[in-house]
Every structure is written in C-alpha cells, then in structure tokens.
Amino acid sequence: LHAAGADGARLLIVAVDDADKTREIIKTAQKHFPHLHIMTRSVSWNDSYDLIDLGIEDIYRETLDTSLRLGADALAFLGGRKHQAYRSAKTLRKHDERYLRELAEMRHDDKMLISGARERIQALEQRMLLQQQNDGIDRDLGWDATTLIDEFGEDKL
C-alpha cells in the first residue's frame, strides 16, 4: 500500500475475489493509513457483516447491482415503464442496504436474525405492492418517452 502511494491517497477501493484477503487489506490500511476512506466489494451478506464490523460504510455487494439492473430491464422488456422499473430497483436497493446494517446487529442470534429478516421482507413486500398500486397515478409517467415513441413513432412526438 505504501509503494502504491497510500500515504498521499484519499481513497482505497478494495475489489479482490477473496473475502479473507479483502479483510486483511482493510485491516492493514486502517492500521497504517487511517486517513484513507475505504470502499469495498463484498461477496455475500456474511462477508458484508464482517466488513460492517470493521467499520466500513461503503460496501458494494457484487451481485446486488447486476440483479437489480437485470430485474428492472426485464420489467421494461415485458412492457413495464422504465422509470417505474428503475424506481422499484432503487427502492429495493435503499431498503436492502438499510436492512443489511440492521440485520448485522442481529446476526449472532439465529432466532432474532430469522425473525428480523422475515419482518423486513414483509415490510418490503408491502412497500413494493403499495408502490405498484400507485404507479398508475404517478405524476411523472411521461418520464419514459421510449414506449411513446414505440407506440406512436418518433415523428409524432
């Protein structure tokens, strides 16, 4: 890290495939370069819990972004409005990231963790269903001109 210029850096991004190596790099950086802001990729919820324990705020789970993007694109492909699909993905991400931190505190008590996870899944399902019901009355339905172009042609808009 020293040879790579960590002394003068403001940010360290850790994106290696080995969770143990990731934690090792972070601990070394925290010990020798405490001024560095650390952003890191994680491979699982459990890996993320360990990173939270190390005090890392900026955790990027490697499959979350791809899964959300794929889901939003699939909804749009099947005829959903792109804006609503991406808003749903954004809502899911926001709550998922909050739930990750909340559940990290419960992870050492299996019963509490399972109960907490169930509660959060139910709350998220209710929120997503409410959002789905309100999509038809959304004020910004015009955000996605792609479906209008497909339906009426570009020269008509």
Side-chain angles (χ1 to χ4, degrees):
L1 289 172
H2 180 70
D7 285 327
R10 294 183 8 215
L11 173 67
L12 173 64
I13 298 173
V14 183
V16 296
D17 288 334
D18 184 325
D20 292 330
K21 189 69 170 171
T22 296
R23 287 189 297 276
E24 180 183 328
I25 293 168
I26 289 170
K27 288 177 185 177
T28 300
Q30 289 173 327
K31 179 178 179 182
H32 298 287
F33 307 99
H35 69 281
L36 284 176
H37 181 84
I38 300 172
M39 301 171 91
T40 187
R41 184 181 73 189
S42 72
V43 295
S44 68
W45 276 67
N46 287 329
D47 182 31
S48 297
Y49 293 153
D50 292 341
L51 295 168
I52 289 169
D53 288 347
L54 291 175
I56 303 300
E57 291 293 322
D58 296 311
I59 300 168
Y60 298 82
R61 285 177 285 139
E62 70 179 8
T63 57
L64 180 63
D65 288 319
T66 302
S67 298
L68 291 174
R69 219 174 88 220
L70 174 64
D73 288 349
L75 288 172
F77 177 81
L78 293 172
R81 298 193 60 82
K82 285 185 182 182
H83 181 66
Q84 292 168 345
Y86 289 108
R87 183 193 316 226
S88 293
K90 184 177 178 180
T91 298
L92 183 59
R93 173 195 312 286
K94 177 180 140 187
H95 291 285
D96 185 78
E97 288 176 355
R98 188 178 90 221
Y99 295 162
L100 173 72
R101 294 191 181 281
E102 291 173 359
L103 293 172
E105 297 174 14
M106 302 175 196
R107 76 177 196 190
H108 299 294
D109 180 337
D110 288 343
K111 287 183 182 181
M112 197 167 140
L113 179 63
I114 291 168
S115 173
R118 283 186 180 144
E119 289 172 11
R120 283 155 182 81
I121 289 168
Q122 288 173 346
L124 186 57
E125 284 176 352
Q126 290 172 349
R127 179 175 295 280
M128 297 299 278
L129 286 171
L130 181 61
Q131 182 176 332
Q132 183 181 24
Q133 291 169 356
N134 290 330
D135 277 346
I137 58 172
D138 203 344
R139 288 180 291 190
D140 56 358
L141 285 174
W143 179 85
D144 180 15
T146 306
T147 54
L148 295 173
I149 291 169
D150 290 346
E151 187 174 343
F152 300 107
E154 189 170 0
D155 58 333
K156 303 284 188 206
L157 295 179

